[in-house]
Amino acid sequence: MSNQPMTQPDKKNGLSKKFIWFHATSVNGTAMAIAATLATYFSLYVQEEIGITAAQLSVILLICSLWDAINDPLMGVICDSCNPRWGRYRTWFLFTPIFLLVDMFLLFSNPGFIQGSPMAKCVYVCLTYMVYGMCVTAYTMPQMAILPAMTLDDEERNDVVAKGAACCAVFFTIASTFSTQLVEIFGSYRNLMCTYAVFAVVSFWGLYKYSEERYVVPKEKGESGLKQLVYVFRHKEVWPVILCWCLASISYGFMYAASVYYAQYILAPQRIDLAVMDEAAIGATIGGTITTYMGFNSFGGLLSMTVLMPIFLKKFKTGYKALIVSQALTVIAYTILFFTGRMNYWYCCIMTFVACAVASMVNALVNVLVNDTIDFILLKEGKQLNGVVSSVKGFAQKCGNTVVNSGLLAILAVCGFDAQKGPFGQTALAVEGTNITRFLVPGLVSVAIIIIMAFYPLKKYFPEIAEMKARMAAAQNGE
């Protein structure tokens, strides 16, 4: 999965299987199942169970996502500036998953003191969702930063990224496809999410135990956090990469967040005959439609991460070229679905599977650009800013999440969507707005990614980066 034609460093201190396992199953394990459930079902959950309107939730998610984006660079600066006794990056794996567990209990609770007060409901959801975003920031940034601190070898790095992507696809598939069934088994969303969080605690503690910080350059005295950010942002070559991270998040986010709406409000009504079905049959049909459609989405993503992405990388040699081709195929598939997806239910499911199979890998391929950027900054500045670069990627991703969380609901609200009216009470404009959010918006985003990657600015520095890393490996091995 390497983007860089280079002589690989000595592998005598290769990564352990336990480190690779826990790195893959920490952020991309049950923590990803939590993220997937929130991305696909949280919006409907708070509207139907707590009684918050789409317009109110749009404002809440805008506030939370903006703060989430802002605190990412702050977290990156903290990671690269502090040197706690348990490790610059490793320390965060000890306590942040505990906060995640507590917040899952609160976020999916409906306490009595907020009943009857729309403002209390909004404040409660806003605060608990904001804490979730801060927890994710506090464990995701160090998790990305620890990998280049563990190894300089691109093959090892990319192998870990690939395994994490496969793990992400598996857990995202489970959570986005079978959440309704899992909620019935566990009794409530709160029980399910807390169970996910408990396993996340185990994974992060395992990552702490089996990780080291072999390649960490000491921070120079007098360097402020702002100056560390300047080291990254003053290079014009980094800006297109940051934009690509943001756009990838938008593309991936709309693909899954809009799918539940598309299944419930466009596909389900096509399968229901009000004249002969009772309320129970209608509910079962809606639930089955959502599960089936999300299954085609998720298994398309699973195929994308575990099978097609390695093939694309082998065929096209570099990550950015694989990204260009995958997004070109995505544009074609989304264009076809935008105009023909409502013609037939099973046709739509199959075509959506194909679209997700080529579209989903965008979320993993852009992670290769993180390591490229870390190496580029080290080459140009002589500074190791793993945490800062990882947090900038997180900042860009959260900016994309902001667009998804508030933008999707804003488009639906403008089109007159109202969840309280159910699948049969939506206007024609609201239905068309759902179709736009599902296919047109992510398709246009894919076009923008293709344009950026066609002029990928870091590729010309790959030979210099290869020489730098060879020198670092020789120094570490005492040669």
Side-chain angles (χ1 to χ4, degrees):
M1 193 168 158
S2 174
N3 275 343
Q4 302 178 14
M6 64 171 287
T7 302
Q8 300 294 343
D10 187 355
K11 294 186 179 181
K12 66 174 65 176
N13 295 317
L15 301 177
S16 70
K17 292 182 179 179
K18 291 180 179 179
F19 168 80
I20 295 173
W21 167 259
F22 285 114
H23 192 278
T25 58
S26 52
V27 171
N28 294 309
T30 53
M32 178 54 61
I34 291 174
T37 305
L38 288 171
T40 51
Y41 296 98
F42 181 70
S43 174
L44 289 176
Y45 168 81
V46 295
Q47 291 179 76
E48 295 175 352
E49 299 296 328
I50 298 181
I52 290 178
T53 67
Q56 290 171 333
L57 185 58
S58 176
V59 175
I60 290 171
L61 295 181
L62 175 63
I63 294 171
C64 293
S65 298
L66 285 175
W67 167 243
D68 205 15
I70 292 171
N71 68 46
D72 270 45
L74 298 178
M75 182 64 196
V77 169
I78 292 172
C79 278
D80 284 330
S81 299
C82 299
N83 289 289
R85 58 179 296 184
W86 298 288
R88 183 181 297 180
Y89 308 119
R90 297 172 65 242
T91 299
W92 300 93
F93 305 144
L94 288 174
F95 59 88
T96 51
I98 299 297
F99 289 115
L100 175 68
L101 174 59
V102 174
D103 188 63
M104 284 303 100
F105 180 87
L106 297 175
L107 183 59
F108 283 89
S109 295
N110 192 2
F113 68 85
I114 67 173
Q115 301 304 315
S117 173
M119 179 58 70
K121 292 179 180 179
C122 291
V123 171
Y124 182 84
V125 172
C126 184
L127 289 177
T128 51
Y129 192 78
M130 187 177 292
V131 170
Y132 166 71
M134 294 174 69
C135 290
V136 173
T137 298
Y139 61 64
T140 301
M141 298 307 103
Q143 190 259 7
M144 286 192 291
I146 195 70
L147 180 57
M150 283 282 292
T151 178
L152 299 174
D153 187 274
D154 282 324
E155 289 184 2
E156 285 189 321
R157 289 181 181 180
N158 294 334
D159 179 60
V160 174
V161 171
K163 286 182 170 59
C167 187
C168 171
V170 170
F171 280 92
F172 202 102
T173 298
I174 293 172
S176 61
T177 305
F178 303 110
S179 281
T180 53
Q181 290 83 358
L182 289 171
V183 168
E184 291 182 4
I185 294 172
F186 283 86
S188 67
Y189 271 104
R190 184 174 65 186
N191 293 345
L192 175 62
M193 300 298 268
C194 287
T195 301
Y196 285 152
V198 168
F199 282 101
V201 171
V202 175
S203 294
F204 278 105
W205 284 0
L207 181 58
Y208 168 81
K209 181 176 180 180
Y210 294 106
S211 61
E212 303 175 47
E213 296 180 1
R214 301 171 182 170
Y215 304 98
V216 176
V217 179
K219 177 180 176 290
E220 296 180 9
K221 294 182 179 180
E223 285 189 348
S224 65
L226 178 61
K227 192 172 183 180
Q228 291 179 347
L229 289 172
V230 169
Y231 290 143
V232 176
F233 283 98
R234 70 183 177 186
H235 294 283
K236 65 181 185 300
E237 294 89 349
V238 174
W239 283 91
V241 180
I242 295 174
L243 179 57
C244 189
W245 288 331
C246 179
L247 292 174
S249 178
I250 295 173
S251 176
Y252 195 80
F254 265 92
M255 177 172 61
Y256 282 98
S259 290
V260 174
Y261 289 90
Y262 190 84
Q264 182 163 337
Y265 295 97
I266 290 182
L267 297 181
Q270 299 175 2
R271 309 180 69 205
I272 295 174
D273 187 344
L274 294 176
V276 299
M277 288 185 174
D278 58 19
E279 185 175 344
I282 291 173
T285 301
I286 293 174
T289 301
I290 293 174
T291 299
T292 301
Y293 184 71
M294 293 305 297
F296 276 93
N297 272 269
S298 301
F299 282 101
L302 182 63
L303 176 68
S304 178
M305 299 289 196
T306 59
V307 179
L308 293 184
M309 189 176 73
I311 294 175
F312 272 54
L313 287 166
K314 183 177 181 179
K315 173 66 176 178
F316 301 107
K317 307 303 181 183
T318 58
Y320 72 91
K321 288 182 180 179
L323 192 55
I324 291 172
V325 176
S326 68
Q327 292 303 286
L329 294 174
T330 299
V331 172
I332 295 171
Y334 280 167
T335 301
I336 294 172
L337 279 164
F338 178 74
F339 290 105
T340 67
R342 289 171 283 182
M343 291 171 45
N344 178 273
Y345 171 68
W346 289 110
Y347 161 80
C348 181
C349 288
I350 294 171
M351 279 298 299
T352 298
F353 174 84
V354 174
C356 288
V358 294
S360 296
M361 68 181 77
V362 66
N363 211 37
L365 289 174
V366 294
N367 287 333
V368 180
L369 310 185
V370 175
N371 292 328
D372 288 349
T373 306
I374 289 172
D375 293 337
F376 171 76
I377 296 301
L378 184 58
L379 174 70
K380 290 296 183 180
E381 299 288 350
K383 312 290 183 183
Q384 187 176 48
L385 300 178
N386 300 24
V388 171
V389 173
S390 298
S391 69
V392 170
K393 191 265 184 180
F395 168 78
Q397 181 178 351
K398 300 300 174 55
C399 287
N401 290 344
T402 301
V403 175
V404 173
N405 292 336
S406 59
L408 186 150
L409 291 170
I411 292 173
L412 293 178
V414 168
C415 293
F417 174 83
D418 186 348
Q420 300 299 319
K421 294 181 179 179
F424 295 96
Q426 305 302 322
T427 65
L429 181 60
V431 172
E432 189 59 40
T434 305
N435 191 39
I436 288 172
T437 59
R438 178 61 188 91
F439 296 120
L440 182 60
V441 172
L444 293 175
V445 171
S446 293
V447 172
I449 293 174
I450 292 170
I451 295 172
I452 294 173
M453 285 294 98
F455 302 97
Y456 186 48
L458 300 186
K459 60 184 178 182
K460 66 180 180 181
Y461 297 98
F462 288 165
E464 296 177 66
I465 290 173
E467 294 178 4
M468 174 194 70
K469 291 164 73 172
R471 291 194 298 270
M472 292 177 62
Q476 176 70 18
N477 297 327
E479 298 177 2

